Amino acid sequence: MAAKTSLSGFPEWLPAERIVEQRVLDILRRTFELHGFAPLETRSVEPVRELERKGETSKEIYLLSRLQDRGGHDAKADKSIGLHFDLTVPFARYIGENAGSLHFPFRRYQIQKVWRGERPQEGRFREFYQADIDVVGAGELAFHHEVEVPLVMAQALAALPIPPVQMHVNNRKIVQGMCEALGIEQVDDALRSIDKLDKIGQSGVLEEMTQHGIDSAQGERLLQLAQIHGGLEVLEQVRALGLSHPLLDEGLEELEALLQAAEKHAPGVVIADLKITRGLDYYTGSVYETFLRGHEDLGSICSGGRYDSLVTVGKRTYPGVGMSIGVSRLISRILGADMARASREVPSCVLVAVTNESERDDANEVAYALRERGIPTEVSPSSSKFGKQIRYADRRGIPYVWFTDEQGGHSVKDIRSGEQVDANPQTWQPPQADRWPSWEL
């Protein structure tokens, strides 16, 4: 057997593991379409100048060039291209280029691989699937979409074979309004510092704020805000801080609407967490981070927020709200923690036994008849003794073996129970649960 060549950060699953991954992708796709999101797939490469628009990402971008161009590639050249490291940048470009052909608000989902040149570790890969949904408006976008999008994601995640999730939500207007009420001009710096609270602690956040010109008294007030979390009671806790600003009040009203809707449609899933700000500058309203209960070490598995000017064409802006699931991160934990496994390693529901090689055409005819009615079927690769053919099916988890006797009669055996019954290839149906691989929890 050839030695396994592993490239760190580029996962390859075994067939049974890939079946689990495909089921996850199917459930996400079906849930998104159930809510009216249209499928979209963008190209895998973008101009480097477009990829760099999102911020400091030069270390993450994989450049793409021909082998014969090696050594002469200029990453800053206008024609340089790289693999996309998320689905947001290509989506923004797509909206700008196709706005005249789209109907707004435009609702899209996108499930694709992305490539990111970061240090691989558990749950972090260099090649991985992301699943995004966004709602984008032309010129304006109603707030209710900021309520809808996280609830769609909550429904999608609830359908997967994972523990319950906890979605932490905030509204950046609250933090920005608090900054303006305190006289803090370095709003973006304050937001980025607060977002690091769990990583660097209170002292680290205060020190970083001081470096940005925010005095300690102002920083302490912001930390008081950042430590508030819970349900609807957080609204009064914020007001009890004694500060007022129109933007702060607007953010609190929007957060209240989101929490009320979540309690009605996804009780226990969504909590307010006022330290969640999302470090990227383009978020302007609701922001979301989602964690797997009991597996918080995995980090956020689904995040996003409201943005008002990520997409701009001339004087026209296309505001939106979106969220992204780190699918490969989830899959790695599902498989690693044995949360689910495929019921079999192949799609086949039936193995058609071959009595001898001269009758292989007859076995193929049976297989054709079963496949025409949507039953995944394969023909035995050999005409060895039936016991060996049954063991072949058993090792792969194929539940049924089909036999044809010397008189042309047919029977099918459930090799799990040992039950064997007469069957007609034109009419026989397996139980629905056996037709395709499922997962076992």
Side-chain angles (χ1 to χ4, degrees):
M1 179 182 294
K4 188 173 183 179
T5 57
S6 175
L7 284 177
S8 180
F10 295 86
E12 292 180 329
W13 308 123
L14 292 171
E17 296 169 332
R18 173 60 176 159
I19 285 173
V20 172
E21 181 178 60
Q22 285 183 311
R23 281 292 307 278
V24 168
L25 296 176
D26 288 343
I27 286 173
L28 295 178
R29 187 179 300 111
R30 185 166 62 247
T31 304
F32 298 156
E33 292 185 356
L34 186 65
H35 289 83
F37 289 84
L40 180 65
E41 181 169 322
T42 56
R43 64 198 185 204
S44 297
V45 298
E46 296 290 337
V48 170
R49 63 180 183 275
E50 288 292 325
L51 295 173
E52 290 182 325
R53 284 180 58 227
K54 192 173 179 180
E56 187 58 42
T57 57
S58 58
K59 294 181 181 179
E60 297 182 351
I61 298 171
Y62 279 111
L63 296 177
L64 198 66
S65 64
R66 298 185 306 168
L67 183 62
Q68 49 265 54
D69 293 336
R70 224 160 117 186
H73 189 76
D74 181 4
K76 298 299 182 182
D78 287 344
K79 294 183 179 180
S80 293
I81 57 176
L83 294 168
H84 58 218
F85 57 84
D86 73 358
L87 300 179
T88 302
V89 171
F91 178 57
R93 188 264 311 158
Y94 181 91
I95 291 293
E97 292 178 354
N98 295 280
S101 302
L102 302 175
H103 298 286
F104 293 95
F106 179 55
R107 305 164 64 87
R108 85 78 161 89
Y109 77 87
Q110 196 168 341
I111 302 175
Q112 278 184 251
K113 282 189 174 182
V114 301
W115 294 266
R116 190 171 297 176
E118 61 181 0
R119 184 173 66 87
Q121 52 187 297
E122 185 180 5
R124 289 188 177 274
F125 303 102
R126 290 172 171 168
E127 178 184 60
F128 54 96
Y129 274 110
Q130 278 190 281
D132 288 20
I133 59 171
D134 284 83
V135 182
V136 175
E140 61 181 11
L141 185 72
F143 165 75
H144 63 77
H145 294 295
E146 296 177 51
V147 177
E148 176 192 17
V149 165
L151 294 181
V152 172
M153 280 303 197
Q155 182 175 339
L157 292 167
L160 301 180
I162 57 176
V165 300
Q166 186 85 78
M167 188 176 294
H168 296 226
V169 303
N170 192 9
N171 194 302
R172 283 176 64 133
K173 294 175 184 177
I174 296 173
V175 186
Q176 185 172 346
M178 180 71 79
C179 286
E180 296 189 11
L182 290 168
I184 297 173
E185 297 179 356
Q186 307 89 332
V187 176
D188 289 340
D189 293 327
L191 288 164
R192 282 191 289 269
S193 297
I194 290 172
D195 198 52
K196 300 176 184 176
L197 182 57
D198 285 339
K199 294 180 180 178
I200 64 177
Q202 295 183 41
S203 60
V205 170
L206 283 174
E207 181 180 351
E208 189 172 292
M209 286 185 182
T210 302
Q211 293 172 354
H212 292 302
I214 301 170
D215 68 45
S216 58
Q218 293 171 323
E220 290 283 359
R221 298 300 300 277
L222 286 179
L223 278 176
Q224 288 179 331
L225 175 73
Q227 294 175 76
I228 294 175
H229 66 278
L232 287 166
E233 71 276 3
V234 304
L235 306 171
E236 290 307 315
Q237 293 176 28
V238 174
R239 294 186 178 105
L241 295 177
L243 293 170
S244 180
H245 188 277
L247 195 59
L248 170 62
D249 295 337
E250 183 180 341
L252 288 172
E253 290 175 5
E254 292 180 351
L255 180 61
E256 181 178 20
L258 173 53
L259 292 173
Q260 288 177 337
E263 189 56 34
K264 180 178 180 180
H265 298 288
V269 172
V270 177
I271 65 167
D273 185 348
L274 301 194
K275 69 177 179 294
I276 300 295
T277 64
R278 303 284 293 148
L280 298 170
D281 293 343
Y282 57 73
Y283 288 118
T284 55
S286 299
V287 286
Y288 325 99
E289 295 274 7
T290 311
F291 302 90
L292 204 57
R293 292 184 183 178
H295 299 265
E296 287 79 7
D297 63 299
L298 191 60
S300 176
I301 60 168
C302 177
S303 59
R306 167 73 182 240
Y307 48 87
D308 284 327
S309 57
L310 180 65
V311 185
T312 304
V313 181
K315 295 182 179 180
R316 192 72 180 270
T317 60
Y318 296 87
V321 57
M323 293 187 74
S324 175
I325 298 176
V327 177
S328 296
R329 178 178 294 190
L330 261 183
I331 295 296
S332 68
R333 184 53 59 97
I334 289 172
L335 298 175
D338 203 24
M339 295 176 186
R341 62 173 70 99
S343 58
R344 55 185 187 258
E345 66 180 48
V346 295
S348 307
C349 173
V350 178
L351 176 75
V352 181
V354 179
T355 306
N356 56 67
E357 289 302 324
S358 65
E359 297 178 5
R360 181 168 290 277
D361 285 346
D362 295 335
N364 285 330
E365 289 302 318
V366 172
Y368 291 144
L370 294 173
R371 291 174 193 140
E372 284 180 354
R373 292 185 295 106
I375 302 171
T377 305
E378 66 176 277
V379 177
S380 176
S382 72
S383 55
S384 54
K385 292 182 179 180
F386 284 158
K388 188 172 181 179
Q389 295 186 58
I390 290 172
R391 286 194 295 272
Y392 173 89
D394 186 46
R395 284 194 299 270
R396 289 156 179 77
I398 302 172
Y400 299 97
V401 177
W402 193 281
F403 299 99
T404 303
D405 61 30
E406 295 179 354
Q407 289 74 42
H410 298 278
S411 64
V412 64
K413 181 174 184 174
D414 184 335
I415 64 174
R416 300 162 298 183
S417 66
E419 181 183 7
Q420 185 166 339
V421 297
D422 292 339
N424 184 330
Q426 303 296 330
T427 59
W428 178 82
Q429 294 281 359
Q432 192 62 34
D434 289 336
R435 185 180 290 262
W436 294 99
S438 60
W439 52 37
E440 301 168 348
L441 307 181

